[in-house]
Amino acid sequence: GENVEQHPSTLSVQEGDSAVIKCTYSDSASNYFPWYKQELGKRPQLIIDIRSNVGEKKDQRIAVTLNKTAKHFSLHITETQPEDSAVYFCAANSGGSNYKLTFGKGTLLTVNP
Amino acid sequence: ETGVTQSPTHLIKTRGQQVTLRCSSQSGHNTVSWYQQALGQGPQFIFQYYREEENGRGNFPPRFSGLQFPNYSSELNVNALELDDSALYLCASGPRLAGTDTQYFGPGTRLTVL
């Protein structure tokens, strides 16, 4: 089955700096890669996603890149703000899109004012 | 915030009991997936329902079962509760459209098994 590895497990940055979180996946048939942000005690919130037919996607301060050959994808947050502090999860679907998402173990991002 | 709702918010049960958790999907969504999130971990896929049938299952024993109703709402049932079943249970709904896998999570039900 699919295996998703996520690094780092914790990340601390100064406000205004950039943050990068990296994930690798094992199933070459995976074609959908969402990122979720989860604040303490709240639901995972979809912040951006990418499909395998594109290599990069941006939404304001957030961008995701995908390297299908290397089977890795990354989340980039620029100009970080204290409200970006949360746990971020990457995920990959099982090949064939049966709605099964396999998640990484999460990255705790702390943005220091 | 998504339109996915779950009930109850919190639940305390004892080992061996049975529990039913409920989920109402967002309007326009016809699939519901259930996930278990242990403390400090990412969500783990339990199963997905589409057109009232189970459509994919993760590595969970048969004592985890579910239903989807004609209005696309769903239930998760867990029998013979074990201490390790203590977790946040999340449901996620999405539209079953070609090329669309997007799933939106509900707020979760925190289950504690004593």
Side-chain angles (χ1 to χ4, degrees), chain A residues 31-32 36 38 41-46 49 51 89 93-94 96-106, chain B residues 1-2 4 31 33 35 37 40-43 45 48 55 90 95-96 99-107:
Chain A
N31 58 9
Y32 175 67
Y36 288 86
Q38 189 174 30
K42 295 195 174 180
R43 74 185 77 196
Q45 177 190 359
L46 179 67
D49 55 14
R51 302 185 189 281
F89 292 99
N93 71 334
S94 291
S97 180
N98 67 353
Y99 282 74
K100 175 183 176 181
L101 292 178
T102 300
F103 284 78
K105 292 189 174 182
Chain B
E1 291 295 321
T2 71
V4 184
T31 70
S33 299
Y35 291 81
Q37 186 177 24
Q41 300 293 318
F45 178 77
Q48 185 219 9
N55 182 42
L90 296 160
R96 175 55 71 89
T100 299
D101 302 75
T102 309
Q103 295 183 53
Y104 300 91
F105 282 93

